[in-house]
């Protein structure tokens, strides 16, 4: 059943190929990501996070005092609150929290460090609401997973309180593109290929920027002292090695890290949870992880 469902998602993606222009790519990701709307019992509310666009969501029974702060994927150049709304709202349901999705600024109009500045502003906004760091989980997929780690590394370096845990889906952790699965999984990944990543990296971190910097490629950071981390990645991803190498590095640094490799799954598959059982199962397990660590 899982393979038949993921094949249907593959057909959906093939029917809407990625266009060339940035604005067209953003429209396409919003369209594909929002194929299935949010559930009827979800309440969403736009919020200005001190100059950064955000959206609260909550479902019946979730605790207002606990928050999942979420950064969408899209290679730092596309993706939005709209494209990831179904994923974020269902993740909040699974975790029993309200969620705050962030619409950070995108490259190439706003290259590094704009997204980092927005992520930090969103964190500060939450903390000013009186929400303790220990009651916040931070998560993201793809570039959003990268941004999640960058935010935590920034807070750790500054000696500030860290979130309760981090949840990473298909994280893009190495903008130098040195992972072996960029080649070995190229034929089975319907979405992410090295030429595309090169284009995204050039837009986000233009030539002259050190892409081994820990805030750009968190794979190369000193990961000691990070909060518990859950990494979920599909076996059919070119970014598989970005996840496995991060898990190895985090584990070697004595971080409480859980790595899940989901058979047959493609990049950021929980986005399509409405019509994909493995997407729902991944969110359920992420919810259990967050519930176990948030106070």
């Amino acid at each position: 059943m899982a393979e038949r469902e993921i094949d249907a998602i593959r057909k959906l993606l093939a029917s809407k190929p990625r266009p060339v222009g940035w604005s067209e790519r953003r429209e396409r990701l919003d369209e594909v990501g929002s194929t299935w709307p949010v559930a009827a019992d979800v309440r969403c509310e736009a919020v200005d996070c001190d100059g950064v666009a955000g959206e609260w969501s909550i479902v019946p029974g979730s605790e207002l005092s606990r928050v999942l702060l979420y950064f969408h994927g899209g290679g730092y150049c596309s993706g939005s609150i709209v494209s990831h709304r179904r994923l974020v709202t269902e993740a909040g349901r699974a975790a029993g929290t309200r969620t705050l999705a962030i619409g950070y600024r995108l490259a190439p109009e706003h290259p590094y460090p704009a997204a980092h500045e927005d992520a930090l502003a969103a964190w500060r906004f939450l903390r000013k609401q009186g929400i303790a760091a220990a009651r916040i989980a931070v998560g993201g997929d793809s570039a959003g997973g990268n941004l999640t780690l960058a935010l935590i590394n920034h807070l750790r370096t500054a000696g500030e309180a860290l979130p309760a845990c981090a949840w990473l889906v298909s994280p893009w952790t190495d903008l130098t593109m040195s992972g072996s699965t960029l080649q070995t999984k190229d034929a089975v990944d319907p979405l992410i290929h090295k030429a595309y990543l090169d284009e995204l990296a050039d837009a986000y971190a233009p030539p002259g920027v050190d892409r081994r910097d820990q805030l750009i490629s968190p794979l190369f950071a000193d990961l000691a002292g990070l909060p518990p981390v859950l990494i979920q990645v599909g076996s059919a991803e070119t970014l598989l090695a970005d996840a496995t190498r991060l898990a190895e590095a985090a584990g070697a640094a004595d971080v409480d890290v859980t790595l899940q490799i989901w058979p047959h799954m493609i990049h950021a598959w929980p986005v399509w949870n409405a019509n994909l059982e493995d997407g729902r199962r991944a969110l359920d397990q992420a919810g259990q992880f967050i519930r176990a660590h948030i106070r």
Side-chain angles (χ1 to χ4, degrees), residues 69-73 100 102 104 118-119 122 138-141 143-145 147-148 151:
L69 175 63
Y70 196 86
F71 302 114
H72 65 77
L100 180 60
I102 300 302
Y104 53 87
D118 291 354
V138 183
D141 64 285
L147 191 54
T148 294
L151 171 62

Side-chain angles (χ1 to χ4, degrees), residues 112-295:
Y112 172 83
H116 291 242
E117 294 168 351
D118 291 354
L120 186 59
W123 174 264
R124 299 264 188 266
F125 170 81
L126 267 183
R127 300 288 279 119
K128 284 192 290 185
Q129 304 302 303
I131 301 172
R135 299 183 76 83
I136 303 172
V138 183
D141 64 285
S142 195
N146 182 309
L147 191 54
T148 294
L149 291 169
L151 171 62
I152 295 173
N153 279 328
H154 180 96
L155 296 172
R156 183 192 54 178
T157 300
E160 299 186 34
L162 302 181
C165 58
W167 168 43
L168 312 176
V169 179
S170 305
W172 186 22
T173 65
D174 175 15
L175 269 69
T176 73
M177 269 72 80
S178 63
S180 62
T181 50
L182 285 173
Q183 283 75 43
T184 61
K185 294 291 182 177
D186 184 75
V188 296
D189 190 324
L191 284 171
I192 308 299
H193 305 282
K194 188 175 183 300
Y196 175 56
L197 292 177
D198 285 336
E199 185 180 4
L200 297 176
D202 285 344
Y204 172 65
V209 176
D210 181 8
R211 293 181 186 169
R212 286 185 63 91
D213 185 296
Q214 68 169 3
L215 294 180
I216 294 176
S217 294
L219 175 64
F220 305 117
D222 175 4
L223 302 175
L226 262 62
V229 178
L230 170 63
I231 305 170
Q232 296 178 315
V233 65
S235 69
E237 295 199 46
T238 56
L239 289 179
L240 176 59
D242 279 42
T244 57
R245 289 181 297 160
L246 177 71
E248 181 181 10
D254 296 317
V255 175
D256 179 355
V257 59
T258 301
L259 171 66
Q260 297 179 350
I261 302 176
W262 288 69
H264 312 295
M265 292 301 106
I266 64 174
H267 189 68
W269 76 99
V271 166
W272 297 285
N273 64 84
N275 215 38
L276 184 63
E277 182 181 355
D278 276 356
R280 295 190 293 275
R281 288 179 53 233
L283 293 184
D284 286 344
Q285 294 187 25
Q288 293 174 26
F289 170 81
I290 292 170
R291 288 174 186 264
H293 292 98
I294 206 167
R295 298 177 184 174

Side-chain angles (χ1 to χ4, degrees), residues 31-90:
E31 180 184 0
V32 171
S34 60
T35 298
W36 292 280
V38 299
D41 63 347
V42 175
R43 179 164 55 88
C44 295
E45 178 184 348
V47 59
D48 180 348
C49 303
D50 293 335
V52 179
E55 182 176 86
W56 290 113
S57 83
I58 192 162
V59 300
S62 293
E63 291 193 34
L64 289 173
S65 64
R66 298 180 178 185
V67 177
L68 168 61
L69 175 63
Y70 196 86
F71 302 114
H72 65 77
Y76 283 116
C77 296
S78 59
S80 70
I81 291 171
V82 171
S83 66
H84 284 65
R85 186 174 280 144
R86 174 80 192 200
L87 182 157
V88 175
T89 56
E90 290 304 307

